[in-house]
Amino acid sequence: MFENLTEKLGDIFDKLKGKGKLTEKDLDITLREVKLVLLGADVNFKVVKDFIKNVKEKSLGSEILKSLSPGHQVIKIVNEELVDILGGENEKIIFNSNRVTKIMLVGLQGSGKTTTCAKIAYNYKAQNKKILLVAADIYRPAAIKQLKVLGDSIGVEVFSMGDKEEPWKILKAAEEYAVPKGIDLIILDTAGRLHIDENLMEELSLIKQNNIVDETLLVVDAMTGQDAVNVADKFNEKIGLSGLILTKLDGDARGGAALSIKKVTGKPIKYIGVGEKINQLESFYPDRMASRILGMGDVLTLIEKAQSAFNEEEAKELEKKFRKAEFTFEDFYKQLQQIKKMGSISDIMNMIPGMGKLKKMQDVQVDEKELVYVEAIINSMTKEERIRPNVIDGSRKKRIASGAGRNVQEVNRLLKQFEDMKKMMKNMGKMQKMMGKMPGFPF
Amino acid sequence: MALWKFFTKKSKKDDKNECVENKEQNKHEVEDNKEDLIENTKEEKTKDIIENNNVKINEEIGINDEIVEEKTKIIAESNNIELSKESWFARLKKGLSKTRDSFTYNVRKILNFGEIDADTLEELEELFIQSDIGTNITFDLIEKIEKQSILGKLKNSDEVISFLKKEFIKTLEIETREKKSTKPSVTLVVGVNGVGKTTTIGKLAHHLKKGGSKVMMIAGDTFRAAAIEQLEIWAKRTDSVIVKHNEGADSASVVFDGINSGISKNMDFILIDTAGRLHNKVNLMKELEKIKNVIKKANDNIEIETLLVIDSTSGQNGLIQARSFKQVVDIDGIILTKLDGTAKGGIIFPIVSELKVPVVFIGVGEGVDDLRFFDSEDFISALFD
Ligand SMILES: Nc1nc2c(ncn2[C@@H]2O[C@H](COP(=O)(O)OP(=O)(O)OP(=O)(O)O)[C@@H](O)[C@H]2O)c(=O)[nH]1
Ligand SMILES: [Mg+2]
């Protein structure tokens, strides 16, 4: 399947290579691939559809199709859009200063509510808050016991009235119990339920009708598929949510559900669960989640690196030089330095979509050494020689070679390659053709 | 013999038994209309079973709380424990059509004007994606539909619907491996966290007990808080024997003890609950391997049946789960739970198609009776009707 967007997009970019400019049709092909990746990550198909439409509009509306690396720019927009949807205010639980703060966790069966209740308790206990866990899962066998065991393990009291009392009454009684004790935070664990179970959804409404609940958090399993939107939508509609918690992210699910539920409810994702242990609750970072959903942290790193190492102004300047064949060893040297800033050549190759695959092939080996030698040779040139290489005569060649620790043949080869390159550039009307594949790579 | 072979859906051909069954069914409906019934294909055993069944019914309404130990000479193999088809079908259908429309309805809507063009193909694509079937099978289907329609073989929604049904059934119907029959029959239930392993064991035990078998549960989840207590409640509910150690104990060692105890107590079925574990945790997966080895160590002749529980709300990760579990402990069958929700459980299509492991049961609720024998035709009909 589409486990690696990097590879997938690599293929597309390969096809687009040498075009420089993306047409709308190219854009559609790219976005089709992005769509598949999102679907493979379990983002709801409706959410995907809107998302793609949005990205397309943004891409067409901006200058990116004419930019130096349109393919990367599209992916950048995709990523930014994802982060944008996933992010937003990410405040933790806001404590009520006048009275005890009450939060409740709701969700489908098996999503991880009970464990998460205890994790939140543990988290705030460490911040010196006085916590009371309240057991209101009156249905699942041993659910109350489970909360008690967890509470005991972290030294947090668990309030329970057995499994015969209605949950809204349990919370009321818990508050009465908590106030004189100076409790800061009450965490209510509710039974797992289907969003279409009218009676059980009514049970949740009753809790909120009869109590002031500060936060209603929906707990969602990161492995959830297309149905996540139905679930989140119904819970939000019936009882009103204030936030979301995503669990089981220590697995290898891509977690597209996060995007779906965020999009549908607009509520912030407040925490993520990353393990079965009580301390494995973390803050949510939209950018990390976006990369996870796309399965392509590497490409984004590369784009960022390329951008910081090489700004577009400089690129345009170089382009002009190329066109007029004014490109010198001085410029070439600068380029080499920029490549170095981005990491080793093989690192960069790995990050370039499709390159990882190519590199495995025996005949396409990047010789890092070769570039080091080239750099050494240029280093050994005087400024004049770099700008006007035709002044380099036999004795200069000897000097350059010995300065770089290479032999004269190698110096000759480099000079010849450089001349060929310049000729080639001259012949080419539009430099974009060469620039298209990577920002700032004139070769 | 596979555990699920003890369960059958009602056979229409079995006229002779149908009479007995119907009579029996009436009785059921009078006394407890929720109750499933026991069916026996071997005539001479029928009387015995009915008697047994009566005792069970009485027991449930509190007249006779004695366990029918002496009846266990009816060996498990002679029981065909029927999971009532009517109710599962209705329930499944209800579940699948609750908040969204059925495949049939949608296909009709999409192909309103009878034309299969790029737009309708895209809408069909979305329909499949929406049920978690995954992009691979979806594109495969779309391609086939496109080709067939160009050839003029698919002209309207009816033809597309019957084509799809056929394709789906083809994917789900696979040859299953036959395992030798051992007594006790040992079933290991595995899966990621919260999918419904423990509950499913409770439901299985309930039905096996009703068939008059001796059932033992082993509390192999020694990790999760109160997991043992949870299984204990199910044991009590279903009147099964339970073997447990303390929380935090070694899971393999309780399984070892359980198997030995089950053999000496002459159990028909041993159901092993295991802790939920994410398939990418190498150590936890190794623990499952160890559990399997320890069963063999207790008795080398025992055939272990490993059932993987998959939550029907699961997305594409379900396939990766199934792959990993199959690789580590080998999976004989899949149980698809929580089909009473709105998720369609389409992830089983790529799972079955790739791993060639059959779906054997489905879960349609939290009660003891909410387990159904999986039947691919019924499942697909429920998706479509
Ligand atoms: N609606 C519905 N809920 C189910 C079904 N099967 C199980 N559940 C519920 O799902 C929740 C988790 O079930 P468990 O049986 O505890 O799951 P598990 O796999 O044993 O969980 P862990 O041992 O914690 O990994 C419980 O609330 C069950 O009642 C089903 O078919 N439908
Ligand atoms: Mg369990």
Side-chain angles (χ1 to χ4, degrees):
Chain A
M1 298 239 291
F2 308 103
E3 259 130 52
N4 196 345
L5 179 63
T6 315
E7 295 290 303
K8 272 274 147 195
L9 290 177
D11 293 345
I12 300 178
F13 290 160
D14 278 351
K15 271 180 234 146
L16 298 179
K17 198 160 66 185
K19 272 186 151 172
K21 226 160 128 187
L22 275 190
T23 62
E24 192 178 336
K25 205 175 142 234
D26 296 332
L27 179 64
D28 284 339
I29 296 172
T30 308
L31 289 180
R32 164 91 184 158
E33 221 53 55
V34 171
K35 174 182 154 184
L36 293 186
V37 167
L38 295 177
L39 290 176
D42 292 322
V43 181
N44 180 269
F45 82 97
K46 275 189 204 137
V47 175
V48 172
K49 210 172 173 179
D50 289 351
F51 181 84
I52 295 293
K53 208 175 126 221
N54 215 356
V55 170
K56 187 172 174 185
E57 274 164 18
K58 285 221 163 125
S59 304
L60 288 174
S62 71
E63 287 291 285
I64 67 134
L65 293 188
K66 284 181 234 133
S67 80
L68 291 174
S69 54
H72 288 116
Q73 297 303 319
V74 173
I75 298 308
K76 207 165 161 251
I77 292 183
V78 167
N79 187 55
E80 279 165 5
E81 276 293 295
L82 276 181
V83 173
D84 203 47
I85 297 175
L86 287 166
E89 12 114 49
N90 186 21
E91 86 277 19
K92 295 281 130 54
I93 288 147
I94 299 168
F95 282 83
N96 194 307
S97 45
N98 303 319
R99 50 166 178 78
V100 57
T101 303
K102 284 162 282 176
I103 68 173
M104 71 181 207
L105 272 61
V106 299
L108 293 182
Q109 290 97 338
S111 56
K113 292 170 294 303
T114 310
T115 313
T116 308
C117 280
K119 284 177 176 178
I120 295 175
Y122 176 81
N123 206 12
Y124 282 103
K125 198 194 170 208
Q127 296 173 32
N128 291 320
K129 300 281 184 195
K130 280 195 85 178
I131 324 261
L132 183 67
L133 283 163
V134 181
D137 179 352
I138 55 174
Y139 305 104
R140 210 205 68 197
I144 297 171
K145 180 75 202 251
Q146 185 183 354
L147 194 66
K148 280 190 171 154
V149 171
L150 292 171
D152 278 353
S153 75
I154 54 171
V156 169
E157 197 180 347
V158 177
F159 181 91
S160 148
M161 297 173 80
D163 58 7
K164 300 284 182 292
E165 199 58 86
E166 282 178 74
W168 72 266
K169 287 180 185 158
I170 297 176
L171 182 56
K172 262 211 147 29
E175 186 174 359
E176 271 161 34
Y177 174 84
V179 170
K181 292 197 151 201
I183 299 278
D184 302 303
L185 177 65
I186 286 177
I187 304 170
L188 186 73
D189 182 27
T190 65
R193 68 201 69 218
L194 291 172
H195 51 295
I196 47 169
D197 188 323
E198 307 265 330
N199 295 335
L200 287 184
M201 290 306 279
E202 179 60 22
E203 181 192 90
L204 290 181
S205 300
L206 279 174
I207 296 178
K208 291 192 85 168
Q209 277 164 38
N210 294 289
N211 295 275
I212 298 169
V213 178
D214 297 280
E215 295 260 14
T216 306
L217 303 170
L218 178 72
V219 181
V220 182
D221 188 327
M223 295 178 274
T224 314
Q226 294 288 315
D227 203 39
V229 286
N230 296 324
V231 175
D233 197 31
K234 268 272 148 44
F235 268 96
N236 195 29
E237 178 198 315
K238 294 255 152 116
I239 55 164
L241 301 171
S242 64
L244 311 160
I245 297 174
L246 209 60
T247 61
K248 307 180 199 173
L249 271 166
D250 47 325
D252 54 9
R254 300 254 298 282
L259 191 73
S260 307
I261 53 172
K262 180 70 212 291
K263 180 86 199 193
V264 162
T265 63
K267 306 298 177 195
I269 300 174
K270 301 215 167 188
Y271 291 104
I272 57 169
V274 293
E276 292 187 79
K277 294 201 194 79
I278 214 83
N279 60 353
Q280 290 175 317
L281 186 74
E282 291 180 358
S283 301
F284 174 77
Y285 294 103
D287 48 342
R288 286 187 205 165
M289 196 66 222
S291 296
R292 181 179 182 136
I293 291 172
L294 288 175
M296 59 170 296
D298 286 0
V299 169
L300 295 164
T301 319
L302 176 72
I303 295 170
E304 262 152 40
K305 278 187 175 178
Q307 272 176 344
S308 65
F310 197 89
N311 69 42
E312 216 143 296
E313 293 285 293
E314 268 180 66
K316 290 227 171 83
E317 196 56 39
L318 264 180
E319 193 192 325
K320 232 183 275 162
K321 284 187 171 181
F322 282 137
R323 211 176 297 140
K324 296 189 197 153
E326 280 169 5
F327 186 68
T328 64
F329 270 115
E330 186 74 19
D331 300 316
F332 190 35
Y333 187 71
K334 253 197 221 158
Q335 290 278 294
L336 275 179
Q337 299 310 310
Q338 269 145 3
I339 294 168
K340 270 168 62 187
K341 254 197 263 173
M342 291 171 65
S344 79
I345 298 291
S346 42
D347 271 358
I348 294 165
M349 289 312 230
N350 272 333
M351 287 192 280
I352 300 171
M355 280 299 182
K357 205 167 47 191
L358 277 178
K359 245 193 83 194
K360 281 172 217 139
M361 287 155 45
Q362 292 257 306
D363 50 336
V364 194
Q365 284 279 346
V366 181
D367 194 345
E368 299 252 350
K369 265 198 219 127
E370 193 77 30
L371 280 168
V372 174
Y373 300 157
V374 167
E375 196 189 339
I377 293 171
I378 302 175
N379 232 339
S380 178
M381 295 177 185
T382 64
K383 188 147 191 176
E384 190 200 3
E385 286 162 353
R386 286 186 206 169
I387 294 169
R388 258 175 291 138
N390 41 353
V391 302
I392 303 174
D393 56 13
S395 69
R396 284 184 190 237
K397 279 179 193 165
K398 257 193 210 146
R399 197 208 72 241
I400 292 168
S402 72
R406 312 305 312 161
N407 58 39
V408 177
Q409 281 94 322
E410 281 171 295
V411 176
N412 276 331
R413 196 168 351 126
L414 180 65
L415 289 172
K416 171 135 197 338
Q417 279 171 349
F418 193 72
E419 271 320 300
D420 289 349
M421 197 165 82
K422 272 175 84 170
K423 257 183 233 153
M424 210 168 73
M425 286 168 183
K426 217 176 193 168
N427 293 339
M428 249 184 265
K430 276 185 189 159
M431 247 2 274
Q432 287 104 309
K433 285 190 180 172
M434 297 217 53
M435 304 290 287
K437 50 178 177 178
M438 273 291 294
F441 277 63
F443 47 84
Chain B
M1 187 158 98
L3 174 71
W4 59 90
K5 293 279 164 70
F6 296 99
F7 296 78
T8 56
K9 73 164 183 167
K10 205 162 152 183
S11 151
K12 281 167 203 126
K13 287 169 235 144
D14 237 348
D15 280 335
K16 232 190 272 170
N17 277 339
E18 193 91 281
C19 292
V20 187
E21 251 177 52
N22 285 341
K23 243 189 265 159
E24 192 51 34
Q25 185 140 34
N26 291 337
K27 200 186 255 165
H28 264 285
E29 270 155 17
V30 173
E31 290 180 305
D32 182 351
N33 60 14
K34 258 209 224 143
E35 223 40 67
D36 290 343
L37 67 144
I38 294 163
E39 177 193 345
N40 192 351
T41 46
K42 288 178 188 155
E43 274 243 88
E44 72 274 20
K45 293 273 163 73
T46 309
K47 220 181 82 195
D48 219 348
I49 295 276
I50 290 169
E51 220 178 294
N52 181 359
N53 200 21
N54 283 338
V55 177
K56 295 297 289 178
I57 291 164
N58 290 341
E59 192 183 294
E60 241 137 78
I61 57 171
I63 294 167
N64 182 356
D65 55 11
E66 245 180 58
I67 307 160
V68 272
E69 204 117 39
E70 69 274 19
K71 301 285 177 198
T72 50
K73 62 175 179 279
I74 313 156
I75 54 163
E77 276 89 336
S78 69
N79 297 344
N80 271 331
I81 303 148
E82 199 211 359
L83 293 169
S84 122
K85 188 186 162 188
E86 255 88 5
S87 60
W88 99 251
F89 194 57
R91 198 136 180 201
L92 180 59
K93 253 164 77 171
K94 212 173 112 209
L96 289 172
S97 60
K98 252 172 198 157
T99 56
R100 74 166 79 97
D101 310 309
S102 72
F103 260 69
T104 303
Y105 178 85
N106 277 309
V107 172
R108 289 233 160 82
K109 211 169 73 183
I110 292 167
L111 301 180
N112 204 2
F113 302 107
E115 217 164 83
I116 300 173
D117 56 22
D119 279 349
T120 50
L121 285 173
E122 195 184 326
E123 281 180 60
L124 284 172
E125 183 186 307
E126 281 167 2
L127 183 62
F128 303 147
I129 292 288
Q130 194 186 356
S131 54
D132 292 315
I133 287 175
T135 43
N136 281 355
I137 292 187
T138 295
F139 293 145
D140 191 46
L141 285 173
I142 294 296
E143 208 181 294
K144 281 182 181 157
I145 292 173
E146 194 177 6
K147 265 195 199 133
Q148 299 284 313
S149 77
I150 289 169
L151 293 173
K153 285 182 187 152
L154 295 179
K155 291 181 292 291
N156 53 43
S157 51
D158 282 339
E159 284 172 0
V160 171
I161 289 163
S162 71
F163 166 80
L164 284 174
K165 278 189 181 175
K166 250 185 249 144
E167 286 290 317
F168 283 144
I169 287 176
K170 215 163 69 191
T171 310
L172 290 183
E173 275 179 355
I174 50 159
E175 292 275 318
T176 60
R177 284 176 292 180
E178 196 46 75
K179 291 220 161 185
K180 72 177 185 230
S181 167
T182 60
K183 191 184 164 164
S185 150
V186 174
T187 304
L188 185 66
V189 180
V190 300
V192 297
N193 310 77
V195 286
K197 295 174 291 299
T198 310
T199 309
T200 302
I201 286 179
K203 295 173 189 173
L204 280 170
H206 172 72
H207 288 285
L208 293 167
K209 285 292 291 188
K210 285 207 306 184
S213 304
K214 292 174 83 171
V215 180
M216 172 182 276
M217 297 176 181
I218 301 178
D221 183 354
T222 53
F223 180 80
R224 209 207 66 199
I228 298 167
E229 286 87 344
Q230 186 186 354
L231 192 70
E232 261 183 310
I233 293 172
W234 280 108
K236 214 174 271 167
R237 265 186 203 172
T238 59
D239 202 6
S240 308
V241 181
I242 181 168
V243 174
K244 52 163 187 168
H245 284 182
N246 290 331
E247 198 175 305
D250 178 34
S251 179
S253 87
V254 65
V255 171
F256 185 75
D257 286 359
I259 297 292
N260 284 329
S261 153
I263 292 168
S264 70
K265 288 196 172 118
N266 205 25
M267 289 289 150
D268 297 309
F269 294 95
I270 298 179
L271 308 171
I272 308 171
D273 190 22
T274 63
R277 67 202 73 218
L278 291 175
H279 50 285
N280 58 340
K281 310 238 158 141
V282 179
N283 288 340
L284 295 180
M285 294 302 275
K286 280 213 175 104
E287 186 188 71
L288 279 185
E289 226 178 336
K290 195 172 149 200
I291 289 174
K292 271 193 109 162
N293 290 337
V294 114
I295 300 171
K296 289 274 168 205
K297 214 173 106 195
N299 188 324
D300 199 29
N301 291 322
I302 285 178
E303 277 282 355
I304 310 159
E305 201 124 34
T306 308
L307 299 182
L308 173 69
V309 181
I310 295 275
D311 186 330
S312 63
T313 53
S314 165
Q316 301 310 301
N317 194 248
L319 175 60
I320 304 172
Q321 287 166 31
R323 255 184 220 151
S324 315
F325 276 100
K326 180 157 195 269
Q327 202 185 1
V328 178
V329 280
D330 205 4
I331 302 297
D332 299 292
I334 289 162
I335 300 169
L336 186 65
T337 57
K338 309 187 192 174
L339 268 172
D340 46 330
T342 51
K344 297 204 171 189
I347 189 63
I348 61 159
F349 289 97
I351 294 178
V352 174
S353 155
E354 181 183 312
L355 302 175
K356 308 290 174 214
V357 174
V359 180
V360 289
F361 297 111
I362 60 169
V364 289
E366 298 181 81
V368 281
D369 281 313
D370 297 327
L371 180 78
R372 304 290 180 262
F373 189 74
F374 179 81
D375 179 288
S376 50
E377 257 173 71
D378 289 348
F379 180 76
I380 285 152
S381 296
L383 269 180
F384 277 89
D385 298 329

